[in-house]
């Protein structure tokens, strides 16, 4: 059991945001495949993590980045996913896909949670 008093506040908030995002996406018919898929750092790689991997009704594998902001002072949650983060997500997704015998259609979605409001952005950026 995790001692919540010892877990950093940002980690707790991130976990809560992921749980909200997952519930929202499952309510839209997506099925959870994996949570917090991590690729370790290598000598020439920064590594990466995918918050949620889900399967859409049509078979599409959906890699989801969850972002949460309590205020809009520094831009919205979705705006915080820059090119470096997108590259990290693509790297982790390619690594994940190497495990599969057949490549399914894929997309990158973002779930942005700003001041408690959930915005789901399917196909937020491309996989190239």
């Amino acid at each position: 059991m995790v001692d919540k008093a010892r877990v950093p506040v940002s980690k707790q908030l991130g976990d809560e945001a992921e749980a909200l995002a997952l519930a929202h996406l499952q309510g839209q018919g997506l099925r959870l495949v994996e949570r917090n898929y991590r690729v370790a750092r290598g000598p020439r790689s920064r590594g990466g993590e995918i918050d949620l991997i889900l399967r859409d009704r049509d078979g599409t594998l959906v890699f989801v980045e969850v972002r949460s902001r309590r205020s809009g002072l520094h831009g919205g949650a979705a705006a915080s996913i820059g090119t470096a983060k997108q590259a990290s997500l693509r790297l982790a997704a390619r690594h994940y896909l190497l495990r599969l015998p057949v490549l399914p259609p894929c997309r990158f979605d973002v779930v942005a949670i700003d001041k408690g409001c959930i915005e789901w952005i399917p196909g937020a950026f491309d996989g190239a």
Side-chain angles (χ1 to χ4, degrees):
M1 186 158 172
V2 175
D3 179 5
K4 290 196 176 201
R6 304 188 91 194
V7 176
V9 172
S10 60
K11 170 73 170 121
Q12 252 181 295
L13 293 173
D15 290 348
E16 290 170 9
E18 281 183 22
L20 279 171
L22 178 57
H24 181 78
L25 295 172
Q26 287 176 321
Q28 301 299 315
L30 282 76
R31 289 180 298 112
L32 180 64
V33 174
E34 193 156 342
R35 261 183 113 150
N36 303 115
Y37 179 78
R38 289 182 177 86
V39 175
R41 290 178 180 229
R44 297 197 289 173
S45 167
R46 293 178 50 196
E49 178 185 348
I50 300 171
D51 295 327
L52 302 169
I53 302 174
L54 298 107
R55 180 90 50 190
D56 206 342
R57 290 179 181 153
D58 65 0
T60 300
L61 197 60
V62 183
F63 300 103
V64 179
E65 174 66 8
V66 178
R67 286 295 173 109
S68 179
R69 294 286 182 264
R70 285 187 273 180
S71 76
L73 293 175
H74 301 287
S80 70
I81 303 171
T83 54
K85 182 60 178 178
Q86 290 178 26
S88 172
L89 292 165
R90 287 184 187 105
L91 176 118
R94 281 194 294 272
H95 188 272
Y96 181 84
L97 291 169
L98 288 173
R99 306 179 339 168
L100 304 180
V102 177
L103 294 179
C106 301
R107 74 172 189 254
F108 290 92
D109 290 5
V110 168
V111 175
I113 303 172
D114 286 300
K115 297 180 268 180
C117 296
I118 298 174
E119 179 185 12
W120 174 28
I121 308 166
F125 56 93
D126 63 30

